[in-house]
Amino acid sequence: MIFYFSGTGNTRWAAQKLAEATGEQLLFVPDELKGSCNYHLDDSERIGFCFPVHGWQPPHIIKQFLQKLTFNTPSNNMSKHYCYVVVTCGDSAGEAIKMFSNELMAKGLNINFAISLIMPESYVCLPFMYTDTPQREAEKIAQATKDLDAALDIILNKQSHLFLIKKGPIPWFFSHVVGAYFNKKMISDKKFSVDEDLCIHCGKCSKVCPTGDIVITNGLPEWKHDNSCTNCLNCYHHCPKHAINYGRITKKRGQYYFGHRTATSGE
């Protein structure tokens, strides 16, 4: 089985390709969190985890899922199961996979294979972060497709002790210092707002929110402020009129979600 979380669709694309190639069940973490998070595994079954990197760390929602996650196996030996991790990031993963691995070990699982896929940038809430140019976006997706195809061969053959991760410079500092501040202070829906003059009351922001954090009241989105927001910016990126913003910084920033160029062209 494959557990995944995705906001703007980069990780969903990767997870769906993995599921198609392996024939394994694809499970969306926000939906799974509504249940017991207890799973039965066949002895030969692989376990895959796919998620985006948030601030050089695993997303909060993935950490919450791991805390709740339990398995039942015929042999009662989790070490028999091939475990792999695929993360997506705009530039580098830092020590996100190492941090995830440390938490996963508490469940009796060791990672056999891990890869980071460099995908188009979607986080635009900091002064130095922008969406990629169309050319760079296409280049990233093309390379990620090649990298994922190579990863599929490794996963299907259950090869172990392979870690293809772009950590970036000083990964410990970015994950444990910058990332710690980012995930503590900036994962919030409190800065989201909607321009009522631009909003066309389509409700798309609510429909695409992966955690159900947005309700529509009198045609306008309202964020629940209940700590369910992952700051994935899916609502911002999908708004057809750029009516949603995160503070002031996104007012002149671009929008991105996987497949948006096909969607906007009508193809």
Side-chain angles (χ1 to χ4, degrees), residues 118-133:
I118 307 304
M119 296 290 288
E121 185 63 70
S122 62
Y123 192 78
V124 292
C125 297
L126 290 173
F128 53 88
M129 288 188 169
Y130 299 84
T131 51
D132 292 308
T133 63

mmCIF file of all heavy atoms in Angstrom, residues 118-133:
data_model
loop_
_atom_site.group_PDB
_atom_site.id
_atom_site.type_symbol
_atom_site.label_atom_id
_atom_site.label_comp_id
_atom_site.label_asym_id
_atom_site.label_seq_id
_atom_site.Cartn_x
_atom_site.Cartn_y
_atom_site.Cartn_z
ATOM 1 N N ILE A 118 12.724 16.696 -7.600
ATOM 2 C CA ILE A 118 12.683 18.156 -7.682
ATOM 3 C C ILE A 118 11.563 18.539 -8.645
ATOM 4 O O ILE A 118 11.609 18.237 -9.832
ATOM 5 C CB ILE A 118 14.027 18.726 -8.161
ATOM 6 C CG1 ILE A 118 15.174 18.183 -7.294
ATOM 7 C CG2 ILE A 118 13.987 20.249 -8.122
ATOM 8 C CD1 ILE A 118 15.015 18.441 -5.813
ATOM 9 N N MET A 119 10.561 19.210 -8.107
ATOM 10 C CA MET A 119 9.357 19.544 -8.867
ATOM 11 C C MET A 119 9.151 21.058 -8.898
ATOM 12 O O MET A 119 9.805 21.795 -8.155
ATOM 13 C CB MET A 119 8.151 18.853 -8.223
ATOM 14 C CG MET A 119 8.202 17.331 -8.274
ATOM 15 S SD MET A 119 7.988 16.677 -9.937
ATOM 16 C CE MET A 119 6.240 16.994 -10.237
ATOM 17 N N PRO A 120 8.233 21.548 -9.742
ATOM 18 C CA PRO A 120 7.983 22.987 -9.796
ATOM 19 C C PRO A 120 7.633 23.569 -8.431
ATOM 20 O O PRO A 120 6.922 22.955 -7.638
ATOM 21 C CB PRO A 120 6.808 23.098 -10.780
ATOM 22 C CG PRO A 120 7.001 21.926 -11.686
ATOM 23 C CD PRO A 120 7.490 20.821 -10.792
ATOM 24 N N GLU A 121 8.129 24.754 -8.181
ATOM 25 C CA GLU A 121 7.950 25.437 -6.899
ATOM 26 C C GLU A 121 6.511 25.915 -6.740
ATOM 27 O O GLU A 121 5.922 26.454 -7.667
ATOM 28 C CB GLU A 121 8.904 26.631 -6.817
ATOM 29 C CG GLU A 121 8.909 27.346 -5.485
ATOM 30 C CD GLU A 121 9.385 26.457 -4.363
ATOM 31 O OE1 GLU A 121 10.578 26.125 -4.319
ATOM 32 O OE2 GLU A 121 8.528 26.083 -3.520
ATOM 33 N N SER A 122 5.963 25.710 -5.555
ATOM 34 C CA SER A 122 4.598 26.175 -5.283
ATOM 35 C C SER A 122 4.517 27.054 -4.038
ATOM 36 O O SER A 122 3.505 27.713 -3.821
ATOM 37 C CB SER A 122 3.638 24.982 -5.132
ATOM 38 O OG SER A 122 4.016 24.174 -4.027
ATOM 39 N N TYR A 123 5.583 27.074 -3.223
ATOM 40 C CA TYR A 123 5.535 27.906 -2.016
ATOM 41 C C TYR A 123 6.048 29.306 -2.351
ATOM 42 O O TYR A 123 7.186 29.483 -2.783
ATOM 43 C CB TYR A 123 6.364 27.303 -0.889
ATOM 44 C CG TYR A 123 6.080 27.997 0.435
ATOM 45 C CD1 TYR A 123 4.923 27.704 1.146
ATOM 46 C CD2 TYR A 123 6.924 28.986 0.909
ATOM 47 C CE1 TYR A 123 4.624 28.373 2.320
ATOM 48 C CE2 TYR A 123 6.628 29.657 2.086
ATOM 49 C CZ TYR A 123 5.483 29.344 2.786
ATOM 50 O OH TYR A 123 5.182 30.021 3.937
ATOM 51 N N VAL A 124 5.193 30.299 -2.152
ATOM 52 C CA VAL A 124 5.522 31.665 -2.578
ATOM 53 C C VAL A 124 5.300 32.685 -1.461
ATOM 54 O O VAL A 124 5.078 33.862 -1.729
ATOM 55 C CB VAL A 124 4.689 32.066 -3.826
ATOM 56 C CG1 VAL A 124 5.113 31.260 -5.034
ATOM 57 C CG2 VAL A 124 3.189 31.896 -3.564
ATOM 58 N N CYS A 125 5.395 32.234 -0.214
ATOM 59 C CA CYS A 125 5.066 33.119 0.911
ATOM 60 C C CYS A 125 6.285 33.731 1.596
ATOM 61 O O CYS A 125 6.156 34.324 2.668
ATOM 62 C CB CYS A 125 4.226 32.371 1.944
ATOM 63 S SG CYS A 125 2.636 31.822 1.306
ATOM 64 N N LEU A 126 7.446 33.571 1.007
ATOM 65 C CA LEU A 126 8.655 34.179 1.535
ATOM 66 C C LEU A 126 9.265 35.084 0.469
ATOM 67 O O LEU A 126 9.062 34.867 -0.738
ATOM 68 C CB LEU A 126 9.663 33.106 1.964
ATOM 69 C CG LEU A 126 9.281 32.292 3.204
ATOM 70 C CD1 LEU A 126 10.272 31.154 3.420
ATOM 71 C CD2 LEU A 126 9.216 33.169 4.447
ATOM 72 N N PRO A 127 10.029 36.105 0.868
ATOM 73 C CA PRO A 127 10.537 37.095 -0.094
ATOM 74 C C PRO A 127 11.341 36.511 -1.239
ATOM 75 O O PRO A 127 11.338 37.048 -2.333
ATOM 76 C CB PRO A 127 11.406 38.004 0.783
ATOM 77 C CG PRO A 127 10.811 37.893 2.148
ATOM 78 C CD PRO A 127 10.352 36.468 2.264
ATOM 79 N N PHE A 128 12.039 35.406 -1.012
ATOM 80 C CA PHE A 128 12.931 34.870 -2.039
ATOM 81 C C PHE A 128 12.334 33.671 -2.774
ATOM 82 O O PHE A 128 13.047 32.977 -3.498
ATOM 83 C CB PHE A 128 14.269 34.461 -1.409
ATOM 84 C CG PHE A 128 14.118 33.533 -0.225
ATOM 85 C CD1 PHE A 128 14.067 32.169 -0.399
ATOM 86 C CD2 PHE A 128 14.017 34.056 1.056
ATOM 87 C CE1 PHE A 128 13.921 31.324 0.682
ATOM 88 C CE2 PHE A 128 13.873 33.211 2.152
ATOM 89 C CZ PHE A 128 13.824 31.840 1.962
ATOM 90 N N MET A 129 11.045 33.416 -2.625
ATOM 91 C CA MET A 129 10.437 32.239 -3.244
ATOM 92 C C MET A 129 9.364 32.647 -4.253
ATOM 93 O O MET A 129 8.438 33.383 -3.921
ATOM 94 C CB MET A 129 9.843 31.314 -2.184
ATOM 95 C CG MET A 129 10.902 30.596 -1.374
ATOM 96 S SD MET A 129 10.203 29.339 -0.274
ATOM 97 C CE MET A 129 11.698 28.502 0.252
ATOM 98 N N TYR A 130 9.514 32.118 -5.472
ATOM 99 C CA TYR A 130 8.604 32.426 -6.570
ATOM 100 C C TYR A 130 8.269 31.142 -7.323
ATOM 101 O O TYR A 130 8.995 30.148 -7.241
ATOM 102 C CB TYR A 130 9.245 33.419 -7.552
ATOM 103 C CG TYR A 130 9.604 34.747 -6.952
ATOM 104 C CD1 TYR A 130 10.813 34.925 -6.281
ATOM 105 C CD2 TYR A 130 8.739 35.835 -7.066
ATOM 106 C CE1 TYR A 130 11.145 36.155 -5.728
ATOM 107 C CE2 TYR A 130 9.064 37.069 -6.522
ATOM 108 C CZ TYR A 130 10.275 37.226 -5.850
ATOM 109 O OH TYR A 130 10.606 38.434 -5.304
ATOM 110 N N THR A 131 7.189 31.161 -8.072
ATOM 111 C CA THR A 131 6.920 30.038 -8.971
ATOM 112 C C THR A 131 7.978 30.032 -10.077
ATOM 113 O O THR A 131 8.576 31.058 -10.391
ATOM 114 C CB THR A 131 5.519 30.156 -9.599
ATOM 115 O OG1 THR A 131 5.367 31.474 -10.168
ATOM 116 C CG2 THR A 131 4.432 29.925 -8.573
ATOM 117 N N ASP A 132 8.198 28.862 -10.661
ATOM 118 C CA ASP A 132 9.196 28.734 -11.717
ATOM 119 C C ASP A 132 8.686 29.310 -13.028
ATOM 120 O O ASP A 132 7.479 29.418 -13.264
ATOM 121 C CB ASP A 132 9.540 27.253 -11.920
ATOM 122 C CG ASP A 132 10.282 26.663 -10.742
ATOM 123 O OD1 ASP A 132 11.294 27.259 -10.325
ATOM 124 O OD2 ASP A 132 9.845 25.622 -10.224
ATOM 125 N N THR A 133 9.615 29.663 -13.899
ATOM 126 C CA THR A 133 9.248 30.066 -15.257
ATOM 127 C C THR A 133 8.665 28.854 -15.983
ATOM 128 O O THR A 133 8.935 27.702 -15.604
ATOM 129 C CB THR A 133 10.470 30.559 -16.031
ATOM 130 O OG1 THR A 133 11.399 29.476 -16.174
ATOM 131 C CG2 THR A 133 11.145 31.724 -15.307
#
